[in-house]
Amino acid sequence: MDLETVRTFVVAAEAGQFQGAAAELSLTQQAVSKRIAALERDLGVRLFTRTPRGAELTIDGQAFLPHARELLRVAERAVTSVRTGRRPLRVDVIASRSAPSGLMRDFHRAHPGVELDVVWLFDIDAAVTALRNGEIDASFRAVAAPGRPLPEDIESVRVLDEPLQLLTGPAHALAGARSVPLERLAGHRIWMPGVVPGTEWAAYYDDLTAAFGLTIEATGPNFGSDALLDTVADTPALATFMGAHTRLVWPAGHGLRRIPVTDPTPVYPHSLLWHRDNPHPALERLRAHLAATAGGHDAAGTWTPAWVLPR
């Protein structure tokens, strides 16, 4: 059904005459008559009866009028939902307790008028596909993993280098340390069941273990961060890596320790990705906010894999 003929019908019904509808729509009276006739053919009924005073709705016209108005309202809502700047900015933050989630909370506090949709996509392939399809406006990722360069239409900027910390239970051999040199972790069991082969974080930890002779165990099902914290708290032989900006809450009795890693400090590089043709005005505001709040990258005494983009 042609929405312009529906709009013409509604205007003519409200005006009570085709001439008035023609003036409001900037059409000729003949054009209005042709549109109404076309709509009547589509519906198979007469919508108006001509009278000396103008045009009156038939019974079928009266029945159709409220639905015609609703059709126009639905069409307007559909257009508004994708009109630049009218829909929420949709951003992938990977996980709710992650550093990117914290960056978006900071952005929301600084720009409360910007509507946001926050989503959690699993890996970089899913994120890039969603960016190219217009399903999301931005994604936080470590880029670019070996052999997986970003497509030319995807832009990126490095926004946060997040230091890694060692998380231990109270009985772990390193629990009392104020900091721990990275090389001292060789021989300790570091358990990270969330490291999934093929992801960018798996590529990061593969390079980290290879560079410093560490052992990361990814065995067992991943029941989430709460189960990980329970196990580390109860198992003196286990520790895990955790980002310094990752938000964690655990029972007081767990006695967990977050210990800075040094000499060098491994940092996880978070970058913001977006499609270069994305026109959403809030995307530019997000990029400007992150640029203004970002710290330095590749600082002395830190480590990142060689494949990480420098900016």
Side-chain angles (χ1 to χ4, degrees):
M1 186 177 295
D2 184 354
L3 286 177
E4 286 307 313
T5 63
V6 174
R7 191 181 313 279
T8 302
F9 162 75
V10 171
V11 172
E14 293 173 347
Q17 54 179 239
F18 287 5
Q19 184 176 357
E24 183 171 340
L25 295 169
S26 298
L27 298 172
T28 65
Q29 186 171 340
Q30 183 181 18
V32 170
S33 297
K34 286 184 177 180
R35 288 187 179 184
I36 298 299
L39 183 60
E40 289 177 331
R41 285 195 300 272
D42 288 342
L43 297 174
V45 297
R46 286 179 60 84
L47 298 172
F48 288 99
T49 297
R50 298 283 189 136
T51 71
R53 294 191 303 272
E56 293 183 357
L57 289 172
T58 64
I59 293 177
D60 290 320
Q62 294 173 31
F64 182 63
L65 181 58
H67 301 290
R69 287 172 171 155
E70 182 60 22
L71 277 174
L72 297 179
R73 284 192 291 267
V74 169
E76 178 58 26
R77 288 197 296 269
V79 171
T80 299
S81 71
V82 296
R83 188 173 289 150
T84 300
R86 289 293 192 88
R87 64 169 177 78
L89 184 73
R90 175 167 282 200
V91 182
D92 160 43
V93 299
I94 304 178
S96 61
R97 295 181 178 179
S98 65
S101 181
L103 292 175
M104 289 307 300
R105 287 195 298 272
D106 291 342
F107 174 73
H108 180 58
R109 284 191 288 268
H111 301 275
V114 175
E115 289 190 66
L116 296 174
D117 277 343
V118 176
V119 301
W120 300 270
L121 299 180
F122 181 67
D123 63 14
I124 192 167
D125 290 337
V128 168
T129 297
L131 288 170
R132 302 182 85 182
N133 291 343
E135 297 170 20
I136 61 173
D137 297 298
S139 175
F140 289 91
R141 297 286 158 177
V143 293
R148 300 166 72 182
L150 291 177
E152 292 185 359
D153 55 349
I154 300 298
E155 304 280 356
S156 72
V157 63
R158 191 123 148 235
V159 295
L160 175 66
D161 282 0
E162 181 184 16
L164 292 190
Q165 297 177 335
L166 188 72
L167 186 75
T168 76
H172 192 275
L174 299 174
R178 296 183 64 181
S179 63
V180 57
L182 190 54
E183 63 179 13
R184 192 177 170 191
L185 297 179
H188 286 276
R189 294 177 62 196
I190 301 171
W191 186 51
M192 303 186 73
V195 174
V196 179
T199 60
E200 66 262 33
W201 54 91
Y204 175 89
Y205 286 110
D206 284 347
D207 276 26
L208 180 63
T209 57
F212 297 98
L214 308 183
T215 299
I216 291 180
E217 302 176 15
T219 56
N222 179 19
F223 289 114
S225 60
D226 289 342
L228 175 66
L229 299 180
D230 292 344
T231 303
V232 169
D234 293 338
T235 312
L238 290 183
T240 191
F241 281 128
M242 196 66 62
H245 298 285
T246 301
R247 292 170 61 92
L248 296 174
V249 178
W250 57 78
H254 275 23
L256 291 166
R257 309 285 195 272
R258 298 183 73 147
I259 306 169
V261 179
T262 61
D263 304 319
T265 297
V267 297
Y268 193 86
H270 297 280
S271 290
L272 183 75
L273 278 60
W274 69 94
H275 193 281
R276 66 185 179 194
D277 294 330
N278 188 311
H280 201 300
L283 180 58
E284 179 58 34
R285 295 176 71 178
L286 174 60
R287 296 204 306 264
H289 171 85
L290 293 173
T293 58
H297 306 303
D298 299 318
T302 63
W303 175 91
T304 55
W307 46 263
V308 174
L309 297 180
R311 62 172 297 277

